[in-house]
Amino acid sequence: MLLVRMKFLQLLSRKAGKLEMLFQIPFCQKQFPYMCLATSACLCSKKKKINSYEQVDQEKYKNLVYSVTSYKTSAQTPETIFEEDNLLYGPPDKQRPPVKAETKTPKNCVPLINPNKRIPLLNSDSNLPMKIALQKTKMPSVTRILQQTISPQQAFYLERWKQKMILELGKDGFAEYTKNLFLQGELFHAALESIFLSEEMATKEQREDVAISGYLSSVQHVLKDISEVKALESAVQHETLQYLGLVDCVAKYRGQLCVIDWKTSEKPKPSLKNTFDNPLQVAAYIGAINHDANYDFQVSCGLIVVAYKNGSPAHPHFMDPDLCSQYWNKWLLRLEEYMDKN
């Protein structure tokens, strides 16, 4: 049986004409009737399928096939691709500067530094820092102006935080929470004032006060760089732009005279952008001091110190004269917006 199969396979490999003779042998028809179905289609009565490629004019596309198959790699190079792109889209414009957002300029460009202010050659005889009480007037405060000109995005996040806290604490609990925050801020500022006035550490009661002990520990490394305190919790007024405020501190930080703003926080604020509108507040105070006749000096730098309740080292954010000038222009725009609304 194996010999018969091998002979049959040998016959299949021969020419088609002899293959047809194979199936005229009765022996094959008798022994292998089913093999006729697997042989050439010329023996079947069914109509042969038409191959669509056989209808293509092969002579016409011979050159195209040859051009494709004669190259092992693509004929295109990076240079030719760039040439085609230049023809289709034009050469790339590498010198075009990036499009910048339109920057607004304040209508009333009052300078941050007062060019008309005369600074006495000799310092004041008193070594005590200035402390001018804040008078109630019709002038708007810096805090009010910033609150009423807050951006819609900031207002959205502030309201969302407020609703989240109310959901967790309830309305009464949230009111108590904000009250405690303000109280902690007042106690913290009072402790710093006592430190600067006596040039000693805070009192034992203040150091042991759980509400502010962490904040005081947080700022110890910053206090070492502060000297020559000129003002503490003192009112300032811009006589030209007609606004006022209460400055936390004016002193030298690492040799630079600064308006210093003390902030408390339960969350870390390692960069200046994390302080939101505080840089505008500092710039507003700097401008007010420079245009307030009560102060016989001018300031060009700022410092925002963020103290933490858990006692971790505070983040001091120094603002040099250029940065203060930038925030001064932003403050002028906010001031104009407030004046337009009111």
Side-chain angles (χ1 to χ4, degrees), residues 22-34:
L22 173 65
F23 294 100
Q24 294 175 2
I25 301 174
F27 173 79
C28 295
Q29 292 176 353
K30 183 177 180 181
Q31 298 295 329
F32 308 101
Y34 58 90

Side-chain angles (χ1 to χ4, degrees), residues 195-291:
I195 292 173
F196 290 131
L197 289 175
S198 62
E199 296 185 357
E200 297 176 358
M201 294 299 293
T203 63
K204 182 180 179 181
E205 291 79 9
Q206 290 172 333
R207 291 196 305 269
E208 294 178 351
D209 191 339
V210 179
I212 62 171
S213 59
Y215 296 127
L216 291 175
S217 300
S218 180
V219 298
Q220 290 306 309
H221 69 289
V222 180
L223 296 179
K224 295 177 182 179
D225 294 324
I226 294 177
S227 61
E228 299 184 31
V229 180
K230 291 185 174 294
L232 283 172
E233 298 293 329
S234 188
V236 293
Q237 176 180 322
H238 200 296
E239 298 170 354
T240 304
L241 297 176
Q242 294 292 292
Y243 68 84
L244 51 79
L246 190 66
V247 176
D248 288 348
C249 178
V250 179
K252 285 188 176 180
Y253 173 73
R254 296 180 178 177
Q256 298 282 341
L257 189 62
C258 301
V259 165
I260 303 176
D261 200 27
W262 306 98
K263 298 296 181 184
T264 58
S265 177
E266 296 178 355
K267 296 181 179 180
K269 295 182 178 181
S271 63
L272 189 64
K273 66 180 181 180
N274 299 134
T275 61
F276 304 105
D277 282 342
N278 294 151
L280 278 74
Q281 185 179 21
V282 170
Y285 291 156
I286 292 174
I289 288 176
N290 295 341
H291 290 79

Side-chain angles (χ1 to χ4, degrees), residues 138-149:
K138 294 183 179 180
M139 284 188 191
S141 67
V142 173
T143 303
R144 180 191 299 178
I145 294 169
L146 290 175
Q147 287 177 347
Q148 295 194 12
T149 58

Side-chain angles (χ1 to χ4, degrees), residues 145-156 158 277 334 337 341:
I145 294 169
L146 290 175
Q147 287 177 347
Q148 295 194 12
T149 58
I150 191 172
S151 67
Q153 184 180 17
Q154 285 182 319
F156 169 77
L158 185 62
D277 282 342
R334 296 281 287 269
E337 182 182 348
K341 289 181 178 179

Side-chain angles (χ1 to χ4, degrees), residues 12-74:
L12 287 177
S13 62
R14 296 179 182 179
K15 296 182 180 180
K18 293 185 178 181
L19 186 62
E20 293 177 0
M21 294 175 60
L22 173 65
F23 294 100
Q24 294 175 2
I25 301 174
F27 173 79
C28 295
Q29 292 176 353
K30 183 177 180 181
Q31 298 295 329
F32 308 101
Y34 58 90
M35 298 300 294
C36 297
L37 300 175
T39 57
S40 176
C42 62
L43 300 179
C44 302
S45 59
K46 293 182 180 180
K47 188 176 180 180
K48 183 179 178 180
K49 293 183 178 180
I50 299 175
N51 192 340
S52 59
Y53 289 102
E54 294 178 357
Q55 300 177 357
V56 176
D57 188 349
Q58 297 183 8
E59 188 67 24
K60 179 179 179 182
Y61 296 102
K62 180 174 66 175
N63 294 334
L64 176 60
V65 174
Y66 175 77
S67 65
V68 173
T69 58
S70 60
Y71 290 98
K72 294 183 179 180
T73 59
S74 173

Side-chain angles (χ1 to χ4, degrees), residues 65-162:
V65 174
Y66 175 77
S67 65
V68 173
T69 58
S70 60
Y71 290 98
K72 294 183 179 180
T73 59
S74 173
Q76 282 191 319
T77 63
E79 290 74 15
T80 59
I81 293 175
F82 283 130
E83 289 178 3
E84 291 178 3
D85 289 345
N86 289 341
L87 291 174
L88 293 173
Y89 309 109
D93 189 0
K94 297 181 180 180
Q95 301 300 324
R96 181 178 298 174
V99 178
K100 294 183 179 180
E102 184 180 356
T103 56
K104 294 182 179 180
T105 56
K107 299 175 183 178
N108 193 3
C109 295
V110 177
L112 179 64
I113 305 298
N114 188 354
N116 301 320
K117 191 170 189 177
R118 294 183 179 181
I119 308 299
L121 297 177
L122 298 176
N123 293 331
S124 176
D125 295 334
S126 177
N127 293 325
L128 293 175
M130 295 184 64
K131 188 177 177 66
I132 301 175
L134 185 64
Q135 302 294 329
K136 291 184 178 181
T137 64
K138 294 183 179 180
M139 284 188 191
S141 67
V142 173
T143 303
R144 180 191 299 178
I145 294 169
L146 290 175
Q147 287 177 347
Q148 295 194 12
T149 58
I150 191 172
S151 67
Q153 184 180 17
Q154 285 182 319
F156 169 77
Y157 287 120
L158 185 62
E159 181 63 24
R160 188 173 69 174
W161 170 81
K162 179 181 177 181

